[in-house]
Amino acid sequence: RLIAFSSIVTWCLTAVIAKYLLGFSWQLAWLLGAILMVTGPTVVGPLLRQIRPNRRVSSVLQWEGILIDPVGAVAAVLVYEIIAHSHFSLFEIVTITTQTLLIGVVLGAVSAVLLVVALRYYLIPDFLHGVSFLVVAIASFWISNVMREESGLVTVTILGICLANQHYVSVEHVLEFKEHLRVLLISCLFIVLGSRLQISDLMEIGWIGIPFVLLLVLVIRPLSVYLATLRSGWDMKEKLFVGAVAPRGIVAAAVASVFGLKLAALGAGDGADSAILEKAELLAPVTFMVILGTVTICGLGAGPLARRLGLADPNPQGVLFAGAASWVREVAAALSKYDIRVLLVDTNYGNVAAARMAGLDAKCGNILSEHVQEEQDLAGIGRFFAVTPSDEVNTLAALEYLHVFSRENVYQLASSGKAHGRWQSIPETRRGRMLFASDINHHVLQDMVDDGAIVKSTTLTESFSMAEFREMHGEDAIVLFCLDAERKLKIRTSANKYEPVAGETVIALVPNSASTASKQETT
């Protein structure tokens, strides 16, 4: 709906305010509306990773930004062709649109098939996968544009969709290469395009550019989203947030720059309608002003708005556990008492059922499964604990979730095997941060719980310090976490053996003998 309906509403209303606020001719106004209907996935993606709203809102915004780019580019091409060739008929417009879509779908799908076959039959060495994908994407883009101008964006979008949804070969390593390349190329492209823009160009727009941007952000976008999501099952909070997030990005800047140059050349030619192209040189400056305005407003306002609406946690303290053994359930239950969201994923349905009986959120599935990663709502969760009995699964899971939570927030238990000589443990660069301590593994914790150990929460005071806590519960008590005065979770690791202080709450695994002694002493 956002692609098929909201974009049309945005296009029309943007053209109207461009005509009456900026004084553009109707032809230029329609061209500007087509350019500004796109949102920027290169801006939306990092913004969503920072805010971490709920899964439904995040997914829709991400895919809207990806899919609307070729739609806006094709619409801009059609309007430009009408401006350049005033004799354009409706039949020719339909023909161009059909050709663009047909070429994009066929060429994109064929390119994807070729890449999948090449990887499936090991025709490309692993170290050349990233470069090969890049070459195929550029070649597909170029061939598509040769066959039909500006159809390249459709082609590479279809190529990406096909590769992302096939299940024959893994493309995760290519995604990592793509992320690094994307940051580099987009940064350079913004510099190149921005270098063409002079401050005098922005000054020529005048103060009227401010209400133009504000109308786009505060009126047109929310209205178009509201109309597109009627009877969609979304609540008003979700509609408000999606309606507030529509930063324009590199595609709008690039398309505006290209057509600005073309219209300038067209205006300099013989027979050009000077009235139509009178303000063509303002096309790129207006677009850059909208980019600056929308990115600034969304960048500063989207986070507070999401938290105000309850769609995001300002400081996600929640924990995703890979594993749901009895000791993991005890730890998760202790955290949930402090309103820290926990989610347990395990392949053992008995563990999952026990967790659910204890009132915990638990899912039965393989933590390494792509389905589990894509389907789970991670709103409010900011850390990952790999705590299964298998050291290999813990390491693989930690590597898998590094791109989701970043290396700082991915933890795993110490290895249960030997850690010297030829049995040297896995290096730190290939695993998560070591949870609790280097000599505490799954079997140690499970044995303690089997022997009657309990997870105990204790608030330290000036008169009851950490020294008194250890005297009461013994040196065998394992400090797992502590909560500071602001209820922020601090995690003990092998490299950071943080000692709680007065005012903080200690969450520790207390052995049975120590807990029994404390009960007798209390009695």
Side-chain angles (χ1 to χ4, degrees):
R1 291 187 186 185
L2 291 175
I3 301 298
F5 184 77
S6 178
S7 60
I8 296 176
V9 174
T10 301
W11 185 4
C12 295
L13 294 180
T14 303
V16 170
I17 64 171
K19 166 66 176 176
Y20 293 106
L21 278 182
L22 302 178
F24 280 16
S25 64
W26 275 115
Q27 289 86 341
L28 280 180
W30 284 110
L31 179 58
L32 182 63
I35 293 171
L36 295 181
M37 78 161 70
V38 304
T39 59
T42 55
V43 183
V44 171
L47 191 63
L48 295 177
R49 281 197 290 270
Q50 182 69 27
I51 299 172
R52 303 183 73 87
N54 67 46
R55 180 182 171 275
R56 180 161 66 171
V57 167
S58 179
S59 179
V60 166
L61 283 172
Q62 185 73 43
W63 277 102
E64 180 201 14
I66 293 171
L67 295 177
I68 204 170
D69 275 352
V71 174
V74 171
V77 170
L78 291 175
V79 177
Y80 170 77
E81 294 290 348
I82 293 173
I83 295 175
H85 308 92
S86 56
H87 60 277
F88 239 46
S89 65
L90 179 61
F91 175 75
E92 289 174 307
I93 294 175
V94 173
T95 301
I96 291 175
T97 305
T98 304
Q99 287 177 348
T100 301
L101 294 176
L102 188 61
I103 291 171
V105 170
V106 173
L107 191 56
V110 170
S111 301
V113 170
L114 290 176
L115 283 173
V116 170
V117 170
L119 264 64
R120 188 169 177 82
Y121 291 98
Y122 310 104
L123 301 179
I124 304 174
D126 287 2
F127 70 94
L128 291 179
H129 283 183
V131 176
S132 301
F133 274 57
L134 177 61
V135 170
V136 171
I138 293 175
S140 302
F141 182 85
W142 174 73
I143 294 171
S144 183
N145 275 350
V146 170
M147 298 174 68
R148 177 70 257 175
E149 188 177 9
E150 298 303 331
S151 64
L153 267 178
V154 180
T155 300
V156 293
T157 300
I158 296 298
L159 169 61
I161 292 173
C162 292
L163 289 174
N165 288 279
Q166 56 80 31
H167 300 287
Y168 299 102
V169 296
S170 173
V171 293
E172 290 296 324
H173 55 302
V174 179
L175 289 176
E176 185 175 357
F177 170 77
K178 184 266 300 182
E179 285 297 314
H180 294 300
L181 191 67
R182 178 178 66 86
V183 173
L184 175 64
L185 291 181
I186 289 174
S187 301
C188 294
L189 191 54
F190 261 122
I191 293 172
V192 171
L193 294 175
S195 65
R196 293 186 60 249
L197 190 67
Q198 303 295 325
I199 298 297
S200 58
D201 295 334
L202 294 176
M203 297 299 292
E204 189 175 345
I205 300 172
W207 66 268
I208 201 67
I210 297 175
F212 179 80
V213 173
L214 293 178
L215 281 173
L216 278 177
V217 175
L218 303 179
V219 178
I220 294 178
R221 171 65 177 182
L223 178 61
S224 64
V225 169
Y226 176 77
L227 294 175
T229 54
L230 284 174
R231 298 183 180 180
S232 64
W234 277 27
D235 59 36
M236 187 55 69
K237 292 181 178 180
E238 292 172 322
K239 293 180 182 180
L240 282 173
F241 183 71
V242 173
V245 179
R248 274 60 172 183
I250 196 65
V251 171
V255 173
S257 298
V258 168
F259 286 118
L261 292 172
K262 288 187 175 183
L263 289 173
L266 187 65
D270 296 332
D273 191 334
S274 59
I276 292 177
L277 304 178
E278 181 182 357
K279 294 192 175 183
E281 71 278 359
L282 294 181
L283 198 64
V286 169
T287 303
F288 270 94
M289 178 175 282
V290 171
I291 292 172
L292 291 173
T294 55
V295 169
T296 300
I297 294 172
C298 293
L300 297 178
L305 178 62
R307 293 188 284 271
R308 181 80 174 182
L309 296 174
L311 299 177
D313 193 326
N315 184 23
Q317 298 290 307
V319 179
L320 171 61
F321 289 90
S326 57
W327 75 266
V328 179
R329 299 195 298 270
E330 292 287 335
V331 172
L335 293 177
S336 64
K337 291 178 181 178
Y338 293 96
D339 295 326
I340 296 174
R341 188 190 170 197
V342 294
L343 174 61
L344 287 68
V345 178
D346 201 319
T347 54
N348 186 318
Y349 187 75
N351 287 340
V352 173
R356 290 174 178 172
M357 290 291 290
L360 301 173
D361 187 6
K363 308 293 181 184
C364 188
N366 190 332
I367 194 65
L368 300 176
S369 168
E370 184 178 355
H371 173 77
V372 170
Q373 292 184 45
E374 293 180 351
E375 295 300 320
Q376 298 308 316
D377 185 358
L378 299 181
I381 292 181
R383 297 180 177 91
F384 175 73
F385 290 176
V387 289
T388 72
S390 169
D391 298 331
E392 289 76 16
V393 171
N394 289 341
T395 299
L396 289 173
L399 291 174
E400 193 72 21
Y401 282 84
L402 284 177
H403 71 281
V404 179
F405 297 102
S406 79
R407 188 175 298 276
E408 177 188 4
N409 298 312
V410 173
Y411 302 81
Q412 72 178 89
L413 288 173
S415 172
S416 303
K418 300 177 181 179
H420 58 82
R422 61 177 178 171
W423 300 101
Q424 183 65 40
S425 61
I426 300 170
E428 186 176 353
T429 55
R430 298 183 182 179
R431 58 173 172 80
R433 300 172 67 183
M434 192 173 292
L435 200 56
F436 308 138
S438 57
D439 58 345
I440 299 176
N441 55 50
H442 182 279
H443 300 298
V444 170
L445 295 169
Q446 189 60 56
D447 290 343
M448 288 181 65
V449 171
D450 291 342
D451 290 338
I454 59 172
V455 177
K456 186 178 181 63
S457 302
T458 306
T459 300
L460 300 182
T461 63
E462 295 294 341
S463 59
F464 188 82
S465 65
M466 197 62 201
E468 281 78 15
F469 176 88
R470 291 199 180 280
E471 183 179 349
M472 174 177 289
H473 298 295
E475 290 298 325
D476 291 335
I478 300 175
V479 177
L480 307 176
F481 320 100
C482 73
L483 289 168
D484 62 17
E486 298 177 355
R487 285 292 183 259
K488 290 183 179 179
L489 187 66
K490 296 182 178 180
I491 301 166
R492 294 256 295 189
T493 66
S494 60
N496 181 23
K497 297 182 179 180
Y498 178 81
E499 280 295 311
V501 296
E504 297 183 339
T505 300
V506 179
I507 300 177
L509 185 64
V510 179
N512 182 40
S513 57
S515 61
T516 303
S518 66
K519 289 181 181 178
Q520 293 174 348
E521 187 174 323
T522 302
T523 303

